[in-house]
Amino acid sequence: MSVVRNEVALIWVALGYFTRIPVPQWVWTDQDRLNRASRYFGLVGFLMGAASALVFWLSSLVLPAPIAVILAMVASLLLTGCFHEDGLADTADGLGGGWQLADKLRIMKDSRLGSYGALVLLMAVLLKWQLLTELANLSVNFTATALILGHTLSRVLAASMIFTEPYVRDDDSKSKPIVTEQNWNDLWVLLTTGVLVLLLLPGMQALMLLISLVVCRWLLVRWLRAQLGGYTGDTLGACQQIGELVVYLLLVALLIGGGQ
């Protein structure tokens, strides 16, 4: 298989893992391919962000900003199948309701939604809607850019944890396969995606957003090390959602502070 064909296959593996987009029959997946596909998780975020931005921009032409924001969020949820939101809710239930490591992992595997998960998910969705609505009221075009930034950078943040943190294994798990390791090539491609997307912002704003996400990642890593000693698929989903909110929070602050 040629190098280009292999990379295209890895992109499809990443898309198939994180979205409901049908994967061509010629693309096959195993654990090694899934690990290598992590380099394109940021690219998947860019595509999801671009799709959401397009839905928002088209909707905003004929509908009020708050409704356009909801439609953009719905588009994202339909494309991903609520993949990351499910991880956020399961993480909240597990870390909120479990005392021992085994209990936390067991609760996170439970498909039922608990009170911690329901409340955290509700607050996250409401906060995301409020932040994007505020951005839309300030600048419709910038909101489309914010969606691309939020979806891309948050996935880069979450996926980068695979390189530095251990996967908390559960031999009895029958859940969806998870990326368990990442090499330097995977990491550099992933980070390059994030850097390229940051070019959508002016230099100082891009730098401030980068610093904020680095700090956010550091705090999340410390939190997960204390709670689990590493990461699970659910916690990566939670980190993606938290990272996305951090992006929107900072962009709102920058837009208001800049007087735009």
Side-chain angles (χ1 to χ4, degrees):
M1 180 180 291
S2 68
V3 174
V4 173
R5 183 179 174 86
N6 183 64
E7 294 304 310
V8 171
L10 292 180
I11 293 173
W12 276 114
V13 170
L15 281 168
Y17 187 76
F18 278 123
T19 75
R20 297 293 179 88
I21 298 175
V23 178
Q25 292 185 351
W26 62 269
V27 177
W28 50 270
T29 305
D30 59 17
Q31 186 60 55
D32 182 65
R33 266 199 166 187
L34 182 58
N35 289 337
R36 300 289 72 79
S38 67
R39 67 182 63 181
Y40 293 119
F41 287 177
L43 177 60
V44 172
F46 175 83
L47 295 174
M48 297 302 100
S52 296
L54 180 60
V55 170
F56 167 77
W57 183 76
L58 291 174
S59 301
S60 66
L61 296 177
V62 294
L63 295 170
I67 298 177
V69 168
I70 290 178
L71 293 177
M73 292 172 63
V74 169
S76 173
L77 294 173
L78 290 175
L79 284 170
T80 62
C82 306
F83 190 82
H84 303 292
E85 288 78 7
D86 179 67
L88 175 65
D90 287 342
T91 299
D93 278 333
L95 302 189
W99 291 94
Q100 303 298 322
L101 175 60
D103 294 329
K104 295 174 183 178
L105 294 176
R106 175 181 54 79
I107 293 172
M108 280 193 280
K109 288 194 326 183
D110 194 328
S111 60
R112 293 171 295 183
L113 181 64
S115 57
Y116 290 104
L119 287 172
V120 169
L121 184 59
L122 176 62
M123 292 297 103
V125 171
L126 285 175
L127 179 57
K128 188 181 299 185
W129 175 80
Q130 184 63 55
L131 289 170
L132 288 170
T133 298
E134 185 64 31
L135 282 171
N137 289 332
L138 294 168
S139 172
V140 170
N141 291 335
F142 190 76
T143 304
T145 301
L147 285 164
I148 295 174
L149 288 165
H151 280 272
T152 307
L153 296 175
S154 61
R155 285 167 174 81
V156 171
L157 179 152
S160 70
M161 294 182 179
I162 300 168
F163 185 78
T164 60
E165 306 308 306
Y167 173 57
V168 182
R169 298 182 182 277
D170 187 346
D171 294 335
D172 294 327
S173 175
K174 295 181 175 62
S175 60
K176 193 172 186 178
I178 181 67
V179 179
T180 57
E181 62 93 11
Q182 194 176 66
N183 62 35
W184 277 105
N185 289 335
D186 303 327
L187 180 65
W188 284 120
V189 173
L190 178 72
L191 295 179
T192 299
T193 306
V195 171
L196 291 175
V197 170
L198 280 172
L199 296 178
L200 293 171
L201 292 175
M204 186 55 65
Q205 290 185 1
L207 179 61
M208 293 178 66
L209 183 55
L210 175 61
I211 293 172
S212 298
L213 289 173
V214 169
V215 172
C216 175
R217 184 190 185 279
W218 179 76
L219 292 172
L220 288 171
V221 165
R222 286 180 60 87
W223 175 55
L224 291 178
R225 285 177 181 175
Q227 291 287 334
L228 301 173
Y231 74 90
T232 69
D234 286 326
T235 61
L236 291 184
C239 290
Q240 185 277 324
Q241 287 290 290
I242 294 170
E244 189 177 348
L245 288 172
V246 168
V247 171
Y248 300 148
L249 276 166
L250 185 65
L251 292 179
V252 168
L254 289 174
L255 209 58
I256 293 176
Q260 299 183 30

